[in-house]
Amino acid sequence: MRGPEAVHDPRAVAQPVAAPLTRAAMFLVATGNPGLDNRAAVRSLCGDLSALLRAVDFRDLEGGLSCVAGFGSEAWDGLFGPPRPAELHKFREIRAGTRLAVSTPGDLLFHIRAKRMDLCFELAMQIMARLGDAVSPSDEVHGFRYFDDRDLLGFVDGTENPRGEAATDAVLVGEEDPAFACGSYVVVQKYLHDLDGWNAFSTEAQERIIGRTKLSNIELNDSVKPTSAHSALTTIVENGKEIKILRDNMPFGRAAHGEFGTYFIGYSRSPRTLEQMLENMFVGRPPGNYDRMLDFSRAVTGNLFFAPSLTFLEAMGED
C-alpha cells in the first residue's frame, strides 16, 4: 500500500465536487464486507471509475454525467492504509431533546449526477456490478430537481452556494493537509418531512422558519427574521468572514407511501463547518434556540465521508 510520499502529488486533480447542479441524482451508500479480496475489489474500482463514467457518458455527451466517490473513517485504513485525511472521523451523533441527528453505517458514497436519471441509473448499475459481493448496500436514493430548484417544503434550496473560484476554495483541501490536497469532506443526511404538519402553517410562519420569502426567495430582513431561522443558524462566520459550503440537496419521495424528503449533501474543506451548522440546527445557538424546521423534518441517516482527489483514486487502482 502506498505511503505518504507516493500519495502526495502537487498536480492532483479533484473529483467533480463542484460540478454544476443537475436535474437528477443518485446517492448510493454501501458498507464494505470483510476480506482482503473485497478490499482489493474496491481499490480496483477506484482506478476504473473514470473509465466507467466515460463509457456511460459517451452515450449522451450533453448529459452532464459526473460521479464523486467518498470513503468513511472506519473503512479508510483497511482500504488505503496510512496516511489518513487529517479530519476524517465517523459522523458524530447529535441529540438535543427530541431532536436527533443519527449516525448510520456507511463506508462508501457514490454521488452520481446527470441531466437524465437513466444516465445516473446506468452508471450506478455498472458500479455495483463491479463491486459485486465486496459491499452491502446501506441506502439508495433517487433525487429529482423539483420545479425551480425547490424542496418539497416549497422553498428554493441552495441559494447561497459559492460559485467559481469561491466554490473551489470552500470545498477543496489545500496546504493544510498536502497529502490530501484537492480532496473534500462530505456529509450526507436523509430527511423525511411531515408535509401535512408543515402545510398546516401559514406561508408567513413558514417564511420565518426558513428565513426567506417563499415565492421570491428573498432573504428576510434581520429586523423580522428570527434568530432561530434556518438561514440564520446555518450561516457560519469566523474572524468576520462567512465560511461557505457547497450543497447539492435533492428532493425524493414515494407519493403512494406518503414519503416525502430531502437528501442533504454538503461538501466542505473541513468537516468542522458542516458539524457547526448541524450543532446550531439541532442544539441551537444559543442552546434551545434550535431550527424549527426540525419540528417537521427528521434525519434518518447520517454519514461523513472524504472524497479524495481523482489522482489519488487512480493511484489506488494501480496498487
Side-chain angles (χ1 to χ4, degrees):
M1 227 167 268
R2 293 171 183 262
E5 68 286 350
V7 174
H8 176 39
D9 185 349
R11 300 164 298 173
V13 176
Q15 294 192 69
V17 169
L21 303 184
T22 55
R23 302 302 302 178
M26 284 184 66
F27 306 92
L28 298 178
V29 176
T31 53
N33 292 327
L36 293 175
D37 290 345
N38 292 332
R39 291 197 290 272
V42 174
R43 287 196 298 272
S44 175
L45 173 72
C46 289
D48 291 344
L49 187 57
S50 292
L52 285 178
L53 188 142
R54 287 194 300 271
V56 178
D57 179 57
F58 193 73
R59 298 166 72 173
D60 182 357
L61 293 176
E62 298 180 353
L65 180 66
S66 69
C67 178
V68 174
F71 304 88
S73 175
E74 295 182 336
W76 185 275
D77 293 343
L79 286 172
F80 307 126
R84 290 169 59 89
E87 296 188 84
L88 181 60
H89 55 262
K90 184 176 172 61
F91 182 87
R92 294 166 181 156
E93 178 182 286
I94 302 173
R95 185 185 296 270
T98 59
R99 302 175 300 283
L100 175 64
V102 294
S103 177
T104 50
D107 294 328
L108 287 82
L109 165 71
F110 297 99
H111 178 201
I112 305 172
R113 290 174 276 189
K115 295 179 181 178
R116 298 165 38 185
M117 179 55 76
D118 56 343
L119 289 171
C120 297
F121 192 80
E122 176 67 19
L123 182 57
M125 283 202 301
Q126 296 296 338
I127 289 171
M128 296 309 294
R130 277 294 307 271
L131 290 173
D133 294 333
V135 302
S136 297
S138 297
D139 194 25
E140 176 179 335
V141 172
H142 298 203
F144 54 87
R145 199 63 67 187
Y146 193 55
F147 294 108
D148 50 338
D149 294 333
R150 295 179 185 270
D151 57 27
L152 295 181
L153 300 179
F155 285 79
V156 175
D157 199 356
T159 303
E160 294 300 320
N161 270 348
R163 301 181 184 183
E165 194 172 315
T168 300
D169 184 64
V171 301
L172 296 185
V173 172
E175 59 185 15
E176 69 272 20
D177 192 7
F180 293 99
C182 292
S184 185
Y185 292 91
V186 196
V187 164
V188 296
Q189 290 179 294
K190 181 179 179 180
Y191 285 89
L192 297 180
H193 304 315
D194 171 15
L195 283 192
D196 288 340
W198 176 256
N199 290 329
F201 270 48
S202 68
T203 297
E204 291 74 16
Q206 293 177 357
E207 290 175 341
R208 287 193 295 272
I209 291 173
I210 300 298
R212 289 183 174 273
T213 57
K214 193 169 188 178
L215 179 61
S216 60
N217 188 39
I218 303 300
E219 189 162 4
L220 298 182
N221 188 282
D222 288 342
S223 63
V224 297
K225 181 171 63 176
T227 56
S228 63
H230 178 73
S231 63
L233 292 174
T234 55
T235 298
I236 306 298
V237 177
E238 293 182 3
N239 300 319
K241 178 184 177 183
E242 183 177 351
I243 308 300
K244 295 280 192 177
I245 67 167
L246 187 70
R247 302 170 178 83
D248 199 354
N249 303 348
M250 282 289 208
F252 69 90
R254 295 185 299 167
H257 292 80
E259 180 183 273
F260 310 100
T262 297
Y263 200 92
F264 167 78
I265 179 164
Y267 290 97
S268 180
R269 187 169 181 160
S270 167
R272 287 178 284 114
T273 306
L274 295 156
E275 290 166 340
Q276 187 61 62
M277 289 182 175
L278 294 177
E279 185 83 10
N280 292 350
M281 289 174 59
F282 282 81
V283 177
R285 186 178 65 190
N289 191 48
Y290 69 91
D291 189 340
R292 267 52 181 183
M293 190 172 68
L294 296 176
D295 292 341
F296 308 93
S297 300
R298 177 170 55 95
V300 295
T301 69
N303 301 96
L304 170 64
F305 301 98
F306 183 75
S309 69
L310 194 59
T311 310
F312 179 97
L313 291 182
E314 292 175 348
M316 290 302 105
E318 295 168 2
D319 247 4

